[in-house]
Amino acid sequence: MPAVHQMASARSDDVVTDQQLVARCLAGDHAAERALYDAHVERVYRLAFRLAGDADLAQDFTQETFIRAFDRLSQYRGDASLATWLHTIATSVSLNGMRSVTRLRNRSASIDDVPELPAAAPRESPHDLREKLHASIDALSVKLRPVFVMHDVEGYTHEEIGLALGIPTGTSKARLFDARAKLRAALAIFAGDRTA
Amino acid sequence: MNNDELDEMLRDAAQTYNLPPAPPREAMWEAIARAREASTIVPIMSVRRAPRWLVRAAGVAAVLMVGIAIGRGMRDTPVVVGPVASALLAVPAVQPALPAPIVSKAQDEPAPTLRTGRQVAAVHPRTTRESAAAGDLASDQTAYRLAVVEHLTRTEVLLTSFRARERSGSEAKMDAQFSALSRDLLSTTRLLLAVHRADDPTMTRLLQDLEYVLMQISQYAADGRRVDLDAINQSLDRRNVLPKLRSTIPAGVSTSTSTES
């Protein structure tokens, strides 16, 4: 089932709680810092893992997110929920981190790493659908993949995605449309099998 | 299979994409705490001030850069010749120690407006490349000359002040500011010597004399020995430093702090 999460952005009592929590953190209350961490770490880690696909990287990105958040907590104005603010940092940290990792991997990849092409294309099975889909998501561009992962995989709304990525809501919708179209095209062979 | 069915299939399959395990909460919290703790400890190296020689060198470089900027600006901007500039740029016979004026070929042009490098090139037609090269050379020479004049003026003030203190019997009161200024001027002198063109032996000798005397003053400022004081006075007298310095500084440059009679 989709892991749909509701971000605490709409209710005013949540905003007040966020601001109180932030105020306590800024006053040096370590218990409040831990409470803030406990309240948000799971979602931040999930998002980081979905984007990174690697436990170590997800752990690094999550830690970096909270380190930055605590450093910049005085800049939190309460305009958006603390969760939205945190996920904006997490998205930025994860995507920038992935760009660095990708560059490093591309640089270190050698010709020997390229797998040989199969002699004949194997017949696709339903189990292959998942692998093919995962590979196709990985192959999405850096603009499309975060939107698809955040919306269709993690259940963020377009408004939340727009805030996190710094793009208009309409752009988020358009990118999701493009991402789905590319995935459909990549998985067309399965549709053919089913219809045949 | 239609698009809706395919989308549904996609959404189902997408849920297993990079399926995250349970987050290692405690390990991450400990790492965060360690990192934050480390960031609050300011390393000793980061609070150390920059070495004094570096600060002084930066000051010298800044003075030269300002001089060069002024020179470059003068290439494109007509400048009204004031008393200092005219003495510096247009009367080489009176100021033999200074390099030749940059507009020597335009001396017969009416004052007071100094032609820019491009305007001079227009009056005396040359090839474009020669004109540009001449303009660059002229602006560099002007910048260098301005930096030299400023330096000589500051040095003359220091030496005059030194003489006045020495004659009033307060030689022991060599304060830190005086000491720092002498070292600063010594650095500038060496820098000017390093970049000085070898076409003006008089200026080179003067700068070498200043380097020697300033080095002695810096040494005296550090040690405060009477023998150093005597050596400084001998150097000033034998090398005739102050008169040469004053004759080199163009008329009109402020030396109001001079107190030596």
Short mmCIF file of all heavy atoms in Angstrom, two decimals, chain A residues 1-5 40-53 58 62 87 94 149 153-156, chain B residues 15 17-23 28:
data_model
loop_
_atom_site.label_atom_id
_atom_site.label_comp_id
_atom_site.label_asym_id
_atom_site.label_seq_id
_atom_site.Cartn_x
_atom_site.Cartn_y
_atom_site.Cartn_z
N MET A 1 0.85 -1.20 0.00
CA MET A 1 0.00 0.00 0.00
C MET A 1 0.88 1.25 0.00
O MET A 1 1.95 1.26 0.59
CB MET A 1 -0.88 0.00 1.26
CG MET A 1 -1.99 -1.01 1.21
SD MET A 1 -3.14 -0.68 -0.13
CE MET A 1 -3.88 0.83 0.44
N PRO A 2 0.38 2.27 -0.64
CA PRO A 2 1.18 3.49 -0.64
C PRO A 2 1.39 4.02 0.76
O PRO A 2 0.49 4.05 1.57
CB PRO A 2 0.33 4.47 -1.48
CG PRO A 2 -0.64 3.63 -2.23
CD PRO A 2 -0.86 2.41 -1.41
N ALA A 3 2.59 4.44 0.99
CA ALA A 3 2.90 5.00 2.31
C ALA A 3 2.61 6.49 2.29
O ALA A 3 3.49 7.34 2.21
CB ALA A 3 4.36 4.74 2.66
N VAL A 4 1.32 6.79 2.34
CA VAL A 4 0.92 8.19 2.26
C VAL A 4 1.04 8.83 3.64
O VAL A 4 0.60 8.28 4.63
CB VAL A 4 -0.53 8.30 1.76
CG1 VAL A 4 -0.96 9.77 1.73
CG2 VAL A 4 -0.66 7.69 0.38
N HIS A 5 1.69 9.94 3.66
CA HIS A 5 1.87 10.65 4.93
C HIS A 5 1.25 12.03 4.81
O HIS A 5 1.26 12.64 3.76
CB HIS A 5 3.35 10.81 5.25
CG HIS A 5 4.04 9.50 5.41
ND1 HIS A 5 4.19 8.87 6.61
CD2 HIS A 5 4.62 8.70 4.49
CE1 HIS A 5 4.84 7.72 6.43
NE2 HIS A 5 5.11 7.61 5.15
N HIS A 40 10.48 13.69 13.43
CA HIS A 40 10.63 13.85 11.97
C HIS A 40 11.64 12.91 11.34
O HIS A 40 11.70 12.85 10.12
CB HIS A 40 11.02 15.30 11.66
CG HIS A 40 10.00 16.30 12.07
ND1 HIS A 40 8.86 16.55 11.35
CD2 HIS A 40 9.92 17.11 13.17
CE1 HIS A 40 8.14 17.49 11.95
NE2 HIS A 40 8.75 17.83 13.07
N VAL A 41 12.40 12.21 12.14
CA VAL A 41 13.51 11.46 11.55
C VAL A 41 13.03 10.36 10.60
O VAL A 41 13.66 10.10 9.56
CB VAL A 41 14.42 10.87 12.65
CG1 VAL A 41 13.69 9.84 13.49
CG2 VAL A 41 15.68 10.26 12.04
N GLU A 42 11.92 9.74 10.93
CA GLU A 42 11.50 8.60 10.11
C GLU A 42 11.17 9.04 8.68
O GLU A 42 11.61 8.42 7.72
CB GLU A 42 10.30 7.91 10.74
CG GLU A 42 9.88 6.68 9.96
CD GLU A 42 9.27 5.61 10.84
OE1 GLU A 42 9.27 5.78 12.07
OE2 GLU A 42 8.81 4.61 10.28
N ARG A 43 10.42 10.13 8.57
CA ARG A 43 10.03 10.58 7.22
C ARG A 43 11.23 11.11 6.46
O ARG A 43 11.35 10.91 5.26
CB ARG A 43 8.95 11.64 7.30
CG ARG A 43 7.58 11.05 7.33
CD ARG A 43 6.57 12.00 6.72
NE ARG A 43 6.49 11.88 5.27
CZ ARG A 43 5.91 12.77 4.50
NH1 ARG A 43 5.42 13.86 5.01
NH2 ARG A 43 5.83 12.58 3.20
N VAL A 44 12.08 11.80 7.17
CA VAL A 44 13.27 12.33 6.50
C VAL A 44 14.13 11.17 5.99
O VAL A 44 14.63 11.18 4.86
CB VAL A 44 14.08 13.23 7.47
CG1 VAL A 44 15.45 13.55 6.89
CG2 VAL A 44 13.32 14.51 7.76
N TYR A 45 14.29 10.15 6.83
CA TYR A 45 15.10 9.00 6.43
C TYR A 45 14.46 8.27 5.25
O TYR A 45 15.15 7.83 4.33
CB TYR A 45 15.27 8.06 7.62
CG TYR A 45 16.11 6.84 7.31
CD1 TYR A 45 17.50 6.92 7.28
CD2 TYR A 45 15.51 5.61 7.03
CE1 TYR A 45 18.27 5.81 6.98
CE2 TYR A 45 16.28 4.49 6.73
CZ TYR A 45 17.66 4.59 6.71
OH TYR A 45 18.42 3.49 6.41
N ARG A 46 13.13 8.12 5.31
CA ARG A 46 12.44 7.43 4.21
C ARG A 46 12.68 8.16 2.89
O ARG A 46 13.00 7.54 1.87
CB ARG A 46 10.93 7.38 4.49
CG ARG A 46 10.50 6.37 5.52
CD ARG A 46 8.99 6.42 5.68
NE ARG A 46 8.30 5.98 4.48
CZ ARG A 46 8.01 4.70 4.22
NH1 ARG A 46 8.34 3.76 5.08
NH2 ARG A 46 7.41 4.37 3.10
N LEU A 47 12.52 9.47 2.93
CA LEU A 47 12.71 10.24 1.70
C LEU A 47 14.16 10.12 1.21
O LEU A 47 14.41 9.91 0.02
CB LEU A 47 12.37 11.72 1.96
CG LEU A 47 12.59 12.66 0.78
CD1 LEU A 47 11.72 12.27 -0.41
CD2 LEU A 47 12.32 14.11 1.17
N ALA A 48 15.10 10.23 2.15
CA ALA A 48 16.51 10.13 1.77
C ALA A 48 16.80 8.76 1.17
O ALA A 48 17.53 8.64 0.17
CB ALA A 48 17.40 10.39 2.99
N PHE A 49 16.23 7.72 1.77
CA PHE A 49 16.49 6.37 1.26
C PHE A 49 15.86 6.18 -0.11
O PHE A 49 16.45 5.57 -1.00
CB PHE A 49 15.98 5.32 2.24
CG PHE A 49 16.50 3.95 1.96
CD1 PHE A 49 17.60 3.46 2.63
CD2 PHE A 49 15.92 3.14 0.98
CE1 PHE A 49 18.11 2.20 2.36
CE2 PHE A 49 16.40 1.88 0.70
CZ PHE A 49 17.52 1.41 1.40
N ARG A 50 14.65 6.67 -0.28
CA ARG A 50 13.99 6.53 -1.59
C ARG A 50 14.81 7.20 -2.68
O ARG A 50 14.90 6.71 -3.80
CB ARG A 50 12.60 7.15 -1.55
CG ARG A 50 11.63 6.49 -0.61
CD ARG A 50 11.02 5.24 -1.19
NE ARG A 50 9.80 4.85 -0.47
CZ ARG A 50 9.16 3.71 -0.64
NH1 ARG A 50 9.61 2.82 -1.49
NH2 ARG A 50 8.07 3.44 0.04
N LEU A 51 15.35 8.35 -2.35
CA LEU A 51 16.12 9.08 -3.37
C LEU A 51 17.51 8.49 -3.57
O LEU A 51 18.05 8.51 -4.67
CB LEU A 51 16.24 10.56 -2.97
CG LEU A 51 14.94 11.36 -3.03
CD1 LEU A 51 15.13 12.75 -2.42
CD2 LEU A 51 14.43 11.48 -4.46
N ALA A 52 18.10 7.97 -2.49
CA ALA A 52 19.48 7.49 -2.59
C ALA A 52 19.56 6.00 -2.93
O ALA A 52 20.46 5.56 -3.65
CB ALA A 52 20.22 7.74 -1.27
N GLY A 53 18.62 5.23 -2.39
CA GLY A 53 18.65 3.79 -2.65
C GLY A 53 19.79 3.08 -1.96
O GLY A 53 20.21 2.00 -2.38
N ALA A 58 21.62 7.23 2.78
CA ALA A 58 20.41 7.75 3.42
C ALA A 58 20.73 8.20 4.84
O ALA A 58 20.24 9.24 5.31
CB ALA A 58 19.33 6.69 3.43
N THR A 62 20.38 12.02 6.08
CA THR A 62 19.50 12.33 7.21
C THR A 62 20.26 13.10 8.29
O THR A 62 19.77 14.10 8.83
CB THR A 62 18.93 11.03 7.81
OG1 THR A 62 18.28 10.30 6.78
CG2 THR A 62 17.94 11.32 8.91
N HIS A 87 11.75 18.96 5.28
CA HIS A 87 11.82 18.16 4.05
C HIS A 87 12.41 18.96 2.90
O HIS A 87 12.99 18.39 1.99
CB HIS A 87 10.43 17.63 3.70
CG HIS A 87 9.96 16.61 4.69
ND1 HIS A 87 8.65 16.49 5.10
CD2 HIS A 87 10.65 15.68 5.39
CE1 HIS A 87 8.55 15.52 5.99
NE2 HIS A 87 9.75 15.01 6.18
N SER A 94 19.71 15.64 -0.12
CA SER A 94 19.74 14.35 -0.80
C SER A 94 20.05 14.51 -2.29
O SER A 94 20.87 13.77 -2.84
CB SER A 94 18.38 13.65 -0.64
OG SER A 94 18.10 13.44 0.73
N VAL A 149 9.13 10.20 -7.27
CA VAL A 149 9.37 9.49 -6.01
C VAL A 149 8.57 10.14 -4.89
O VAL A 149 7.90 9.45 -4.09
CB VAL A 149 10.88 9.47 -5.68
CG1 VAL A 149 11.10 8.97 -4.25
CG2 VAL A 149 11.62 8.57 -6.66
N VAL A 153 5.52 7.62 -4.86
CA VAL A 153 6.10 6.63 -3.95
C VAL A 153 5.89 7.03 -2.49
O VAL A 153 5.47 6.22 -1.67
CB VAL A 153 7.62 6.44 -4.24
CG1 VAL A 153 8.22 5.42 -3.30
CG2 VAL A 153 7.83 6.02 -5.69
N GLU A 154 6.16 8.32 -2.18
CA GLU A 154 6.10 8.74 -0.77
C GLU A 154 4.81 9.49 -0.43
O GLU A 154 4.58 9.79 0.74
CB GLU A 154 7.31 9.60 -0.43
CG GLU A 154 8.54 8.80 -0.08
CD GLU A 154 8.35 7.97 1.20
OE1 GLU A 154 8.17 8.55 2.27
OE2 GLU A 154 8.36 6.73 1.10
N GLY A 155 4.01 9.82 -1.41
CA GLY A 155 2.71 10.41 -1.12
C GLY A 155 2.70 11.88 -0.79
O GLY A 155 1.76 12.37 -0.15
N TYR A 156 3.70 12.62 -1.21
CA TYR A 156 3.68 14.07 -0.99
C TYR A 156 2.65 14.70 -1.94
O TYR A 156 2.40 14.19 -3.04
CB TYR A 156 5.05 14.68 -1.29
CG TYR A 156 6.12 14.40 -0.26
CD1 TYR A 156 6.67 13.14 -0.12
CD2 TYR A 156 6.59 15.42 0.56
CE1 TYR A 156 7.65 12.88 0.81
CE2 TYR A 156 7.58 15.17 1.49
CZ TYR A 156 8.10 13.90 1.62
OH TYR A 156 9.07 13.66 2.55
N GLN B 15 5.86 1.14 -5.11
CA GLN B 15 5.99 1.12 -3.65
C GLN B 15 7.20 0.31 -3.19
O GLN B 15 7.67 0.49 -2.07
CB GLN B 15 4.72 0.53 -3.02
CG GLN B 15 3.50 1.39 -3.27
CD GLN B 15 3.77 2.86 -3.00
OE1 GLN B 15 4.24 3.21 -1.93
NE2 GLN B 15 3.49 3.71 -3.98
N TYR B 17 10.01 0.49 -4.72
CA TYR B 17 11.21 1.18 -5.22
C TYR B 17 12.02 1.73 -4.03
O TYR B 17 11.52 2.52 -3.25
CB TYR B 17 10.82 2.31 -6.16
CG TYR B 17 11.99 3.15 -6.63
CD1 TYR B 17 12.91 2.64 -7.54
CD2 TYR B 17 12.18 4.44 -6.16
CE1 TYR B 17 13.99 3.40 -7.97
CE2 TYR B 17 13.25 5.21 -6.59
CZ TYR B 17 14.14 4.67 -7.49
OH TYR B 17 15.22 5.42 -7.92
N ASN B 18 13.23 1.28 -3.90
CA ASN B 18 14.11 1.72 -2.80
C ASN B 18 13.38 1.67 -1.47
O ASN B 18 13.34 2.66 -0.72
CB ASN B 18 14.63 3.13 -3.06
CG ASN B 18 15.64 3.17 -4.19
OD1 ASN B 18 16.16 2.15 -4.62
ND2 ASN B 18 15.92 4.36 -4.69
N LEU B 19 12.81 0.54 -1.19
CA LEU B 19 12.02 0.39 0.05
C LEU B 19 12.93 0.57 1.26
O LEU B 19 13.88 -0.18 1.46
CB LEU B 19 11.37 -0.99 0.07
CG LEU B 19 10.28 -1.19 1.12
CD1 LEU B 19 9.12 -0.23 0.91
CD2 LEU B 19 9.79 -2.63 1.11
N PRO B 20 12.64 1.59 2.07
CA PRO B 20 13.59 1.87 3.18
C PRO B 20 13.41 0.92 4.35
O PRO B 20 12.27 0.54 4.68
CB PRO B 20 13.24 3.30 3.58
CG PRO B 20 11.83 3.50 3.17
CD PRO B 20 11.57 2.59 2.00
N PRO B 21 14.50 0.56 4.99
CA PRO B 21 14.40 -0.22 6.24
C PRO B 21 14.09 0.74 7.40
O PRO B 21 13.94 1.94 7.19
CB PRO B 21 15.80 -0.80 6.39
CG PRO B 21 16.68 0.21 5.72
CD PRO B 21 15.89 0.81 4.60
N ALA B 22 14.01 0.21 8.58
CA ALA B 22 13.79 1.07 9.75
C ALA B 22 15.02 1.96 9.95
O ALA B 22 16.16 1.49 9.82
CB ALA B 22 13.57 0.20 10.99
N PRO B 23 14.80 3.21 10.23
CA PRO B 23 15.95 4.11 10.38
C PRO B 23 16.76 3.81 11.64
O PRO B 23 16.18 3.52 12.69
CB PRO B 23 15.30 5.49 10.46
CG PRO B 23 13.93 5.25 10.95
CD PRO B 23 13.52 3.91 10.42
N MET B 28 22.18 7.55 14.29
CA MET B 28 22.17 8.85 13.60
C MET B 28 22.17 9.99 14.61
O MET B 28 22.84 11.01 14.41
CB MET B 28 20.95 8.95 12.67
CG MET B 28 21.07 8.08 11.43
SD MET B 28 19.86 8.47 10.16
CE MET B 28 18.35 7.99 10.95
#
